[in-house]
Amino acid sequence: MKIESFSTEDTRAFGEKCGREAKVGQVYCLYGDLGVGKTVFTQGFARGLGIEEPVTSPTFTILQEYEEGRLPFYHFDVYRILDVDEMYEVGFDDYVEGEGVCFIEWANRISEILPPERVEITIEKDLDKGFDYRLITIRQQGASGSGRGGIR
């Protein structure tokens, strides 16, 4: 699925729609360069889960947990990860296999430990279409029909 966003508000609103549709156990992997709107999308997603507190990227802490929404929300930012073993130190497997929703910014940095069943979201700029334009591409990986499926 491909979605065009023409503003920060569009990106946040689409993230919110996805958050309203999220199910227990889903893992979302976010890809894109610095400044494309990964955190904006994540903020919208959190709002769709009913999370009211401010959502920021946990760049220096790796993980931020939000428990107040309709599902627990685990927001990883692995930009500063140097070795995937660092993920095991924060209990990555427990979160991915848990009863919440995981969001992983910069997921390409830990590709070897990502679960096979996941939703991949790539956000790209195209300056020819305007400064605020973003193309958001969503791909379901490894769907098995287990009820932990992705965005439709």
Side-chain angles (χ1 to χ4, degrees):
M1 170 190 318
K2 293 183 185 275
I3 302 294
E4 292 183 302
S5 170
F6 296 91
S7 66
T8 299
E9 293 78 21
D10 287 350
T11 300
R12 188 173 287 115
F14 183 62
E16 185 172 348
K17 176 186 180 298
C18 295
R20 287 191 304 267
E21 296 173 3
K23 296 177 180 73
V24 169
Q26 288 181 313
V27 175
Y28 292 82
C29 299
L30 283 89
Y31 304 93
D33 294 332
L34 284 169
V36 297
K38 293 183 299 294
T39 301
V40 169
F41 185 92
T42 305
Q43 290 167 339
F45 191 96
R47 186 183 306 154
L49 286 172
I51 295 168
E52 299 293 328
E53 69 182 280
V55 173
T56 58
S57 227
T59 303
F60 294 99
T61 59
I62 301 174
L63 170 65
Q64 181 66 45
E65 298 180 51
Y66 302 91
E67 300 285 339
E68 71 183 60
R70 67 178 180 81
L71 295 172
F73 181 56
Y74 311 120
H75 181 197
F76 291 89
D77 183 326
V78 299
Y79 182 75
R80 298 196 182 281
I81 290 292
L82 299 175
D83 185 323
V84 295
D85 287 340
E86 292 177 60
M87 296 303 290
Y88 297 116
E89 293 172 15
V90 297
F92 181 70
D93 286 342
D94 293 332
Y95 292 103
V96 168
E97 295 170 10
E99 294 302 313
V101 177
C102 289
F103 243 67
I104 307 166
E105 293 189 48
W106 299 99
N108 53 302
R109 295 181 182 263
I110 60 166
S111 59
E112 61 267 36
I113 65 168
L114 293 175
E117 194 169 315
R118 61 188 182 270
V119 178
E120 295 186 338
I121 301 170
T122 303
I123 304 175
E124 302 169 284
K125 291 181 183 182
D126 184 344
L127 294 177
D128 291 339
K129 294 186 177 187
F131 181 76
D132 292 325
Y133 177 87
R134 302 294 187 266
L135 178 63
I136 304 170
T137 304
I138 300 178
R139 292 182 193 91
Q140 177 72 44
Q141 299 294 325
S144 67
S146 67
R148 292 183 169 224
I151 299 168
R152 291 173 183 43

